[in-house]
Amino acid sequence: MFIHLSKRTSTTKEEVYMLQEHIRNIAIIAHVDHGKTTLVDKLLRATDAFRANQQVQDRVLDSNDQERERGITILAKNISIEYKGIKINVIDTPGHADFGGEVERVLKMADSALLLVDAAEGPMPQTRFVLQHAIAAHLQIMLVINKIDKPAANCEKALNNSLDLMMDLGATDEQLEFTMEHVIYASAVNGFARLTPDDSCDNMFPLLDMIVNELPAPEVDVDAPLAMQCVTIDHSDYVGRIGVGRIYSGTIHNNDKILVVKNDGTSSVAQVKQLYTFDYLGKKECSEISAGDIGAVVGIDHTDIGDVYTDIDNPVKLEPIEIDQPTLSIVFEPSTSPLVGREGDIVGGRQLKERLETERENNVTMRIEELDDKTGVEVAGRGVLHLSVLMEQMRREGYEFQVGRPRVLFKKDEHGNMLEPIEQAVVECSGEYSGKVIEVFGNAGGTMINMKTGATHTHLDFKIPTRGIMGLKTKVLNVTHGDAVFYHTFLEYGPYAGEIGTRQNGAMISMSTDKAVAYALGTLQERGQLFVAPGTECYEGMLVGERSKPGDMVVNIAKTKNLGNQRSSTADIAVQLTPPKTFTLEEALEYIMDDELVEVTPQNIRMRKRILNETDRRKWRVRNGMVDK
């Protein structure tokens, strides 16, 4: 017999639900680079989380190397701070839509949210993505207008735009009224938060005071049967999976025997081996955790997202957690490059499979399955960035592998019609370039849904299939001469949009395995854009450049100048080469075609044909009824 637990919005003396006044659970949500991780830094310092002589790096929550280099939060993190005797559990959420699987789950642990908005830019597209989840979770939202020290800051406009956005996303009157009455003006990088923009306060205490005085405490029943839901999985090589979540009712004790109820309704009995609560930047082992707090449980074998830990005799039923499904997939294969093993220590197919199986244990937002023919492993995620973060991590661990072109995951509706993922894309650019941007999106299957013309910039909103997004950022930056801001986020599954144009220009393909020679490259750069510099190690079938016209071209990158017995007046003039175009991992994935691969090594990212030999490629094209242009 399950007891259904619902969230109360009010409490009276007759009700057993009570406020845990010593706890606040808040999530910090914002667009990429609006300063939420810096804000958390300042809150930690303001509450004496560090010793006076302790050396602490900036953006301490961005502990992952890629997070620090990219300037984005990839993994949601839990910390806690203490202020005036109140424990504040802070959840730093990712701002990029590709990591939305993190956002929607961790918001379930919060009672309220800090919405951080740039005073100059206002709410941005990915603010919409995270804020929509917060509003749907019925969180009370406090607005923090950050970077008020910017010359272009416009606090009033940022406030109005934020409230307008909340209305568009379906915020209730109660949520809107709460946000209007609870606004903080801050400069996280300078370490101050103020009640008005013109205040002279130079510390973070006004923000902390508003959090403890105005944001709601958890409303729970400590004496009810245990109900805790796992929303995040941590992993340890020593104890295995660690379930992290919030206790909604009751108390969980160390060595308790509990009932673990899966999303599909199946259940099993397990014993709690260790309990941890969050204490500043780390975890602290404890003997019990009461309702309203956030904790970590060790000892639940194969625990997963959505698992409910509850009382065996009086089980409590909670709503299952639905995770947004992946929209793109990429196949990982062992490298077959002639240069394999020169840069990486781990090159075998078995090691690649084991590493991805480990990732499947730790990363529930990805779907990882071995192909039926055992030639590779298909990894599905929320976007190119989501997938490339895994690849980047693996290459830093010493792996060499190759991946194919990202493939969109289609669905079918109840009538059998094909559906594909649709994204909302936003471009802000100078008005003189808006026509070219609209043309670029039109060629990629996009449809403009909104256009706002400002004094200096034009704001363009598009709906576009995920297939059309790949490689589009480079085109937008090219037609706007770099004067554009481009963001996109998953919107919905919509009707199949038909065929979309792919890369028009052909590739220059190396005919031999050798080092590139300046003389050969000097001749080739007249035919298109080069990807390699003199001295670069190349191999047969490797992409070394892009032609200025359709159709692939096999080239000799090792060709040298024939020497004669006569000297010309220009014989000693050095070859003048244009710097080659370099690709990030995401750009390479978006650039390649279906018959091409990206080779990923610890030191290089190379693009190549799937079939390296030109004769074999021609035979393959004939067998498949394809005619060379």
Side-chain angles (χ1 to χ4, degrees):
M1 181 69 179
F2 280 98
I3 300 173
H4 288 265
L5 184 69
S6 60
K7 188 173 181 180
R8 301 295 179 94
T9 56
S10 63
T11 183
T12 67
K13 291 182 180 179
E14 289 78 16
E15 291 177 332
V16 293
Y17 280 71
M18 61 180 292
L19 297 175
Q20 293 286 74
E21 293 287 2
H22 64 287
I23 296 175
R24 300 291 185 276
N25 297 317
I26 63 171
I28 300 187
I29 57 180
H31 182 78
V32 175
D33 200 34
H34 277 198
K36 62 180 179 296
T37 307
T38 304
L39 184 76
V40 173
D41 272 7
K42 300 303 182 183
L43 293 178
L44 285 165
R45 295 177 189 277
T47 53
D48 299 323
F50 311 118
R51 300 188 309 272
N53 63 344
Q54 186 174 352
Q55 297 294 318
V56 182
Q57 62 187 2
D58 290 335
R59 292 188 293 119
V60 67
L61 278 194
D62 282 348
S63 53
N64 184 305
D65 288 342
Q66 290 192 67
E67 291 181 317
R68 302 188 65 80
E69 292 168 13
R70 295 172 185 263
I72 63 174
T73 299
I74 294 173
L75 300 173
K77 302 174 186 67
N78 293 67
I79 65 164
S80 76
I81 57 180
E82 187 171 328
Y83 181 67
K84 293 184 175 180
I86 294 177
K87 179 181 181 181
I88 305 172
N89 288 314
V90 181
I91 306 159
D92 185 26
T93 63
H96 198 287
D98 278 17
F99 308 104
E102 294 279 327
V103 173
E104 59 195 307
R105 288 184 283 110
V106 298
L107 288 180
K108 289 182 175 290
M109 294 189 287
D111 298 291
S112 52
L114 300 187
L115 171 60
L116 202 64
V117 173
D118 189 299
E121 296 180 357
M124 298 294 282
Q126 285 157 15
T127 310
R128 169 186 289 269
F129 171 79
V130 186
L131 182 58
Q132 187 171 16
H133 284 293
I135 290 173
H138 308 292
L139 302 185
Q140 297 284 29
I141 297 166
M142 190 170 87
L143 181 62
V144 180
I145 298 177
N146 193 29
K147 303 186 181 182
I148 65 172
D149 55 316
K150 274 187 172 183
N154 188 333
C155 297
E156 183 178 357
K157 182 179 179 182
L159 172 59
N160 292 333
N161 288 347
S162 300
L163 294 173
D164 289 344
L165 178 59
M166 289 181 64
M167 291 180 63
D168 291 343
L169 296 177
T172 64
D173 292 341
E174 181 187 357
Q175 286 175 314
L176 287 169
E177 185 176 343
F178 185 91
T179 303
M180 290 176 64
E181 295 175 354
H182 300 88
V183 182
I184 288 288
Y185 302 89
S187 173
V189 71
N190 292 312
F192 66 77
R194 299 169 178 172
L195 297 177
T196 64
D198 302 324
D199 196 353
S200 59
C201 179
D202 61 353
N203 56 53
M204 301 300 294
F205 295 132
L207 174 57
L208 287 164
D209 286 333
M210 189 174 286
I211 289 173
V212 300
N213 295 330
E214 303 296 337
L215 292 184
E219 188 180 354
V220 293
D221 183 0
V222 178
D223 299 322
L226 171 67
M228 175 181 177
Q229 190 164 35
C230 176
V231 299
T232 303
I233 298 293
D234 203 351
H235 188 272
S236 166
D237 292 335
Y238 302 102
V239 299
R241 286 191 167 195
I242 303 172
V244 179
R246 171 176 168 165
I247 297 90
Y248 292 96
S249 67
T251 301
I252 187 169
H253 303 85
N254 198 13
N255 296 319
D256 273 355
K257 286 192 174 181
I258 60 175
L259 186 70
V260 181
V261 183
K262 297 285 187 182
N263 273 341
D264 60 5
T266 60
S267 61
S268 60
V269 175
Q271 183 171 8
V272 177
K273 295 180 180 177
Q274 287 177 299
L275 282 177
Y276 293 90
T277 57
F278 292 92
D279 182 44
Y280 287 99
L281 291 173
K283 296 188 186 78
K284 179 175 67 175
E285 190 167 0
C286 59
S287 59
E288 65 176 44
I289 308 174
S290 296
D293 206 352
I294 296 172
V297 179
V298 176
I300 316 300
D301 293 336
H302 308 296
T303 191
D304 212 338
I305 298 300
D307 286 1
V308 176
Y309 308 152
T310 187
D311 187 78
I312 295 177
D313 298 324
N314 300 293
V316 177
K317 188 171 184 178
L318 298 176
E319 294 181 5
I321 295 178
E322 298 291 339
I323 301 175
D324 283 352
Q325 294 301 307
T327 57
L328 285 177
S329 72
I330 290 181
V331 175
F332 286 62
E333 304 172 5
S335 177
T336 56
S337 163
L339 306 181
V340 64
R342 296 194 184 185
E343 300 170 7
D345 301 324
I346 312 172
V347 299
R350 179 178 59 81
Q351 292 99 322
L352 179 65
K353 177 185 173 184
E354 290 174 352
R355 172 63 179 82
L356 292 172
E357 286 177 346
T358 301
E359 187 68 22
R360 180 170 55 195
E361 287 290 311
N362 302 335
N363 192 339
V364 296
T365 61
M366 286 183 172
R367 190 175 69 229
I368 301 175
E369 299 173 348
E370 187 174 15
L371 297 179
D372 293 337
D373 59 6
K374 310 296 184 184
T375 58
V377 179
E378 183 178 42
V379 180
R382 292 286 293 169
V384 172
L385 177 62
H386 189 199
L387 295 165
S388 69
V389 165
L390 170 61
M391 298 179 205
E392 182 65 34
Q393 183 62 38
M394 290 175 61
R395 70 187 288 240
R396 296 182 185 206
E397 295 170 4
Y399 286 84
E400 281 193 30
F401 55 93
Q402 62 192 30
V403 293
R405 188 172 187 239
R407 295 183 294 182
V408 169
L409 299 177
F410 298 98
K411 287 183 177 180
K412 287 188 177 180
D413 62 16
E414 61 274 14
H415 304 295
N417 299 319
M418 185 77 72
L419 301 177
E420 67 174 324
I422 305 295
E423 311 225 357
Q424 179 188 10
V426 175
V427 178
E428 290 194 356
C429 63
S430 297
E432 60 183 302
Y433 301 127
S434 58
K436 294 181 180 178
V437 171
I438 294 171
E439 182 181 354
V440 167
F441 271 85
N443 293 335
T447 304
M448 188 174 70
I449 56 177
N450 191 21
M451 179 177 181
K452 294 180 182 178
T453 303
T456 58
H457 280 74
T458 299
H459 179 97
L460 302 167
D461 280 329
F462 298 90
K463 286 178 67 175
I464 182 171
T466 300
R467 290 178 296 143
I469 283 288
M470 290 188 284
L472 199 62
K473 184 174 182 178
T474 301
K475 296 177 182 178
V476 169
L477 292 176
N478 285 341
V479 299
T480 60
H481 298 221
D483 179 33
V485 180
F486 178 44
Y487 298 103
H488 62 93
T489 181
F490 173 77
L491 184 63
E492 60 188 1
Y493 266 86
Y496 180 67
E499 293 298 323
I500 294 177
T502 55
R503 190 179 82 209
Q504 299 299 312
N505 295 351
M508 297 184 192
I509 306 165
S510 174
M511 66 168 55
S512 61
T513 301
D514 214 329
K515 289 185 177 180
V517 175
Y519 176 75
L521 298 180
T523 304
L524 293 175
Q525 74 176 0
E526 299 174 2
R527 313 288 292 273
Q529 172 74 55
L530 294 175
F531 300 160
V532 296
T536 301
E537 191 81 32
C538 303
Y539 55 83
E540 182 183 11
M542 177 176 160
L543 272 60
V544 296
E546 180 185 277
R547 290 187 71 187
S548 55
K549 59 177 69 174
D552 293 339
M553 177 175 68
V554 178
V555 299
N556 182 3
I557 47 86
K559 182 179 179 181
T560 56
K561 183 178 177 67
N562 292 326
L563 300 179
N565 58 1
Q566 293 182 349
R567 291 173 64 89
S568 69
S569 59
T570 59
D572 297 324
I573 297 179
V575 176
Q576 297 295 317
L577 292 176
T578 304
K581 180 179 181 180
T582 57
F583 288 82
T584 64
L585 184 51
E586 296 95 79
E587 289 170 344
L589 292 170
E590 293 176 339
Y591 180 82
I592 60 172
M593 304 293 286
D594 290 334
D595 65 337
E596 296 167 350
L597 300 168
V598 175
E599 178 194 354
V600 182
T601 77
Q603 298 178 24
N604 287 290
I605 295 169
R606 305 184 183 97
M607 294 177 290
R608 48 161 284 187
K609 286 293 183 182
R610 185 174 289 276
I611 301 173
L612 297 178
N613 182 266
E614 168 63 8
T615 303
D616 292 340
R617 281 200 302 274
R618 288 183 178 275
K619 291 178 180 178
W620 179 85
R621 292 176 66 84
V622 169
R623 285 198 304 270
N624 288 274
M626 303 170 68
V627 180
D628 287 326
K629 295 181 180 179

